Amino acid sequence: MNDSPDVNTKSALLAAAIQVFADKGFDSATVRDICGRAKANVAAVNYHYGSKDGLYAAVLAEIFPTGEERHAQITPDLSPEERLREFIRGLASDIFERGSDTIAQRWAIFLREMAKPSGNLDYIVQHHVQPRADELRCILSEILGPNAPDTTLAYCSANIWALMLDHLLIQPILDRLTPDRPAADNGLDLFVDHVFRFSLGGLKAMKG
Amino acid sequence: MNDSPDVNTKSALLAAAIQVFADKGFDSATVRDICGRAKANVAAVNYHYGSKDGLYAAVLAEIFPTGEERHAQITPDLSPEERLREFIRGLASDIFERGSDTIAQRWAIFLREMAKPSGNLDYIVQHHVQPRADELRCILSEILGPNAPDTTLAYCSANIWALMLDHLLIQPILDRLTPDRPAADNGLDLFVDHVFRFSLGGLKAMKG
DNA sequence: ATATGCTTGAAACATTCGTTTCAAGCATAT
DNA sequence: ATATGCTTGAAACGAATGTTTCAAGCATAT
């Protein structure tokens, strides 16, 4: 098994696929475009990944790795409010981090998958959303107290997700409504502070 | 000019296009599928609407009519809090109303357009989002008081939109996370109450 | 009744898609 | 050196796409 040429085209194919799928979406992405960027032959996709669907599955496996159980990051000795803040900060920096393109592309693909679910959404939810949702639910449960009904807990959990995700979703709308708004990725701390305060206010309103 | 057959196929084409575009998205929708549902010939699309893009533009013009200036519905003599509640209720019933399929399909197309903006997103935002956003901003300005910075106002406005829209966006995710959650369209009042309380709590937290 | 203009229908158009084929290339093992 | 197995490249495949063509149909106006 030769390493450099073989693995190179295969991984180049994967990297190009991440770009194109994030940019165009699955339907609009073409294998010829992907192979072109990877400087590979058109047949390479089917050879290395079986099909376009197989390549997409490989992309999802790459950007949503199975072992992504990072929800032990938050130190448990903090107050639930501070843990909520850490949760929000972690999610926000993950979404708006400009360091790696892969992260932005991950959320772009995630967004596309939400707007037009394919059979792979289950996989993404299971490995990418579920752990964080459980963690958030745990935090909210402590903040809201043991007497909070499940309905409230579910709604509030969805709400806080919404505050983060929508900022990703409605970005193109905000660009059209208020082009001069403060960029979320520049003043990330500002954004985190706001979401934290707003969320906490909302939660307390549900409590009392 | 004959009315019944001519206009019938043209409007049948439009109705079928709304269905297919909402269901499959623009790229995945095919003119043959649309014409099939409209019981029309394949050439009918290009004859009546010039092209597939022209048909899509006609669909947008149909479900996002220009004269949609409905933001005078809310009675101005209410308190800003009550107007916020009315705003949330109006938006919620608009999103989750089960009466007309067209409304649900409108939001489906809107969602697709947000996830993968085409050149028509400007049009939608201008005629569908802008008036409501202005109205919400006006309400929030009263609630937050005159001293609230524009940043806070913009953030809070986006937040409340988020609470509503995300419930539309993450529906397929919620189906996978908590399949037994209360359906928002059944207990719509419940949902409205929650969002209103949560929002008001968040707003007050931004004030103090 | 005849002619005109708009609409439809069947067929084919050219293009693009994902996929397949197969020979050539190349590294490694014998 | 020879053979084997994996990988690449060019070409073509069949299917599906949006679009066009053109003759036939049909209503209305003269």
Side-chain angles (χ1 to χ4, degrees):
Chain A
M1 328 159 182
N2 43 358
D3 273 35
S4 65
D6 168 17
V7 175
N8 272 353
T9 53
K10 186 170 183 177
S11 62
L13 230 43
L14 195 66
I18 292 177
Q19 278 191 4
V20 177
F21 282 140
D23 203 46
K24 309 282 184 66
F26 180 79
D27 289 327
S28 299
T30 69
V31 300
R32 281 177 172 80
D33 186 9
I34 294 172
C35 291
R37 300 197 197 194
K39 299 188 199 307
N41 192 268
V42 224
V45 163
N46 293 288
Y47 177 76
H48 285 287
Y49 296 99
S51 64
K52 185 187 179 184
D53 290 88
L55 176 58
Y56 186 65
V59 165
L60 293 184
E62 170 73 16
I63 63 181
F64 300 114
T66 304
E68 193 183 25
E69 320 237 328
R70 62 166 78 192
H71 59 290
Q73 283 183 350
I74 296 182
T75 43
D77 55 337
L78 295 175
S79 71
E81 285 81 5
E82 284 169 329
R83 283 163 61 201
L84 175 62
R85 187 193 196 85
E86 285 306 304
F87 178 85
I88 292 174
R89 176 189 304 282
L91 194 54
S93 67
D94 191 11
I95 292 179
F96 299 108
E97 197 81 65
R98 281 286 176 266
S100 164
D101 281 344
T102 311
I103 295 180
Q105 289 156 349
R106 181 210 323 230
W107 288 98
I109 290 177
F110 181 52
L111 184 60
R112 294 255 158 75
E113 202 60 43
M114 282 193 289
K116 187 172 188 293
S118 77
N120 303 100
L121 183 53
D122 296 282
Y123 173 84
I124 299 180
V125 168
Q126 189 176 344
H127 292 297
H128 190 62
V129 180
Q130 184 77 265
R132 299 180 116 140
D134 289 341
E135 179 190 350
L136 177 60
R137 209 184 176 82
C138 183
I139 296 174
L140 295 190
S141 177
E142 288 191 45
I143 294 181
L144 289 172
N147 295 332
D150 276 354
T151 306
T152 304
L153 195 58
Y155 272 150
C156 289
S157 177
N159 285 343
I160 294 180
W161 271 98
L163 296 182
M164 311 297 297
L165 282 187
D166 254 322
H167 216 273
L168 180 77
L169 172 69
I170 65 179
Q171 203 104 354
I173 291 189
L174 291 178
D175 291 339
R176 288 164 170 81
L177 279 181
T178 57
D180 55 341
R181 77 187 191 286
D185 52 338
N186 287 348
L188 193 122
D189 288 336
L190 220 68
F191 177 67
V192 170
D193 282 352
H194 173 86
V195 172
F196 174 66
R197 282 181 65 186
F198 192 92
S199 302
L200 212 57
L203 290 173
K204 284 194 175 141
M206 298 315 297
K207 224 172 137 182
Chain B
M1 327 160 184
N2 43 356
D3 274 32
S4 65
D6 167 18
V7 175
N8 270 353
T9 52
K10 186 169 183 178
S11 62
L13 230 43
L14 195 65
I18 293 177
Q19 278 191 4
V20 177
F21 282 140
D23 202 47
K24 309 283 182 65
F26 180 80
D27 290 326
S28 300
T30 70
V31 299
R32 280 176 174 80
D33 187 7
I34 294 172
C35 291
R37 300 199 198 192
K39 301 191 198 306
N41 192 268
V42 225
V45 162
N46 294 290
Y47 177 75
H48 286 286
Y49 296 98
S51 65
K52 184 186 178 184
D53 291 89
L55 177 57
Y56 186 66
V59 165
L60 294 184
E62 170 73 16
I63 62 180
F64 299 114
T66 305
E68 192 182 26
E69 319 236 329
R70 63 167 78 193
H71 58 290
Q73 282 183 351
I74 296 183
T75 44
D77 55 337
L78 295 175
S79 71
E81 285 81 6
E82 283 170 330
R83 282 163 62 203
L84 175 62
R85 187 193 195 86
E86 284 307 304
F87 178 85
I88 292 174
R89 175 188 306 280
L91 194 54
S93 68
D94 192 11
I95 292 179
F96 299 108
E97 197 81 66
R98 281 287 175 264
S100 163
D101 281 344
T102 311
I103 295 181
Q105 288 156 350
R106 179 209 324 230
W107 288 100
I109 291 177
F110 181 53
L111 184 60
R112 293 253 159 76
E113 203 58 44
M114 283 194 286
K116 186 171 188 293
S118 77
N120 304 99
L121 183 52
D122 296 280
Y123 173 85
I124 299 180
V125 168
Q126 189 177 342
H127 292 297
H128 191 61
V129 180
Q130 184 78 262
R132 298 180 117 140
D134 289 342
E135 180 190 349
L136 176 60
R137 209 183 177 84
C138 183
I139 296 173
L140 294 190
S141 176
E142 289 192 46
I143 294 181
L144 288 173
N147 295 331
D150 277 353
T151 307
T152 304
L153 195 58
Y155 273 149
C156 289
S157 177
N159 285 342
I160 293 180
W161 271 97
L163 295 182
M164 310 296 298
L165 282 187
D166 254 323
H167 216 271
L168 180 77
L169 171 68
I170 65 178
Q171 204 105 352
I173 290 189
L174 291 179
D175 290 339
R176 289 164 170 80
L177 279 181
T178 58
D180 55 339
R181 78 188 190 285
D185 52 338
N186 286 348
L188 192 122
D189 288 337
L190 220 68
F191 177 67
V192 170
D193 282 353
H194 173 86
V195 171
F196 174 66
R197 282 181 64 185
F198 192 93
S199 301
L200 212 58
L203 289 173
K204 286 197 173 139
M206 298 316 297
K207 223 173 139 183

